[in-house]
Amino acid sequence: MSFIKKFIFVLVFTIILFCKPSYGSNVSFPDGLLIGDENGIYVDVNGDYIMYADRMKAGDVINRSLIIENIENNQSFELFMSSKPLFSTGPIDLLDKISLNLKLDEKEIYSGRLYGDDGINMVTNSLPLGKYYYGDSAVLNITVKLDENIPKELFYNKSVAEIIWKFTAIKEEASDLPKTGQIIKKWLYILSVCMMFVIIMLFIIKRHNANSL
């Protein structure tokens, strides 16, 4: 019989939208802010994304790439991530023995235990993932690795861990964004000034030519 017995490791990503009062009490994840992995699995209307793994062996590594993209016109969002460890049972404390590395567009933003409290403590503070204007996108690379030095005898019995990662999207005030109407008015003003300048120049040239006759 193999020394490696099955154990389960579950990550539940829960995403909640906190809107400012002017946007009402809707807590659904915004349609215009998309987060999904390379397998085409996106968060649902409740913001849930599940990463599941079992039969992991000592030293196993799992990689996921979450694509973040804002496709909501004239709206920006600030994105944050926090960690809520729920439980770890069995002979292996998976929250302690699994390491987590997060890279946002290849820039490391967290490296430590899956628990989430090493360096930047995601348990007590939200980890900022940047501001996303319309058309902005980024890739969040997630790497989890089970400690390769775990004794084989600890795998005889099942170990289970569950953790919630909360992605919080804060909608920016509409006044903070350039509105289409304001842009049009700005360019109409610039155009009118240019036309006025051209008319004045034509008038001056016409008078100059008339005086030269």
Side-chain angles (χ1 to χ4, degrees):
M1 180 181 293
S2 172
F3 286 105
I4 306 301
K5 295 293 184 179
K6 175 181 177 182
F7 70 87
I8 301 173
F9 163 50
V10 179
L11 291 181
V12 180
F13 298 71
T14 301
I15 304 176
I16 302 175
L17 170 67
F18 290 94
C19 296
K20 294 185 179 180
S22 59
Y23 291 94
S25 58
N26 182 13
V27 294
S28 296
F29 195 77
D31 294 335
L33 188 60
L34 302 178
I35 300 180
D37 63 25
E38 65 272 26
N39 298 316
I41 301 174
Y42 286 85
V43 300
D44 61 19
V45 67
N46 298 314
D48 294 334
Y49 176 88
I50 298 176
M51 180 177 172
Y52 175 86
D54 64 3
R55 299 180 183 273
M56 289 182 70
K57 302 178 180 67
D60 278 0
V61 177
I62 297 177
N63 295 293
R64 290 290 184 276
S65 293
L66 288 181
I67 301 171
I68 305 167
E69 185 176 11
N70 182 9
I71 62 171
E72 186 164 333
N73 195 18
N74 289 330
Q75 184 62 67
S76 69
F77 300 92
E78 282 192 86
L79 193 61
F80 300 88
M81 176 180 177
S82 59
S83 175
K84 184 181 179 181
L86 299 182
F87 66 84
S88 179
T89 63
I92 304 173
D93 183 357
L94 297 176
L95 295 177
D96 184 65
K97 294 301 183 181
I98 292 179
S99 62
L100 169 67
N101 183 272
L102 300 175
K103 289 184 179 180
L104 186 64
D105 284 340
E106 299 304 321
K107 180 182 179 181
E108 186 177 277
I109 57 176
Y110 179 83
S111 182
R113 295 182 304 160
L114 180 66
Y115 195 88
D117 64 347
D118 292 318
I120 298 177
N121 193 323
M122 292 189 293
V123 179
T124 58
N125 301 285
S126 295
L127 181 66
L129 299 180
K131 180 181 291 187
Y132 297 84
Y133 294 97
Y134 171 66
D136 286 349
S137 63
V139 177
L140 179 64
N141 290 306
I142 302 170
T143 301
V144 293
K145 179 181 179 180
L146 184 59
D147 190 340
E148 58 189 16
N149 297 316
I150 299 176
K152 291 181 179 181
E153 58 270 20
L154 294 183
F155 287 92
Y156 283 132
N157 297 306
K158 183 173 67 176
S159 296
V160 181
E162 186 171 318
I163 186 170
I164 295 177
W165 288 345
K166 292 184 179 180
F167 290 76
T168 305
I170 301 179
K171 185 180 292 187
E172 291 289 288
E173 295 287 356
S175 58
D176 294 339
L177 297 172
K179 296 181 179 179
T180 302
Q182 294 174 338
I183 295 175
I184 293 175
K185 287 181 180 180
K186 177 182 177 180
W187 282 106
L188 285 176
Y189 174 77
I190 294 174
L191 182 60
S192 63
V193 171
C194 292
M195 289 180 65
M196 184 64 69
F197 177 76
V198 171
I199 292 173
I200 292 173
M201 290 300 298
L202 290 175
F203 178 75
I204 293 174
I205 294 172
K206 183 176 180 181
R207 289 195 61 182
H208 175 74
N209 291 338
N211 292 334
S212 299
L213 296 177

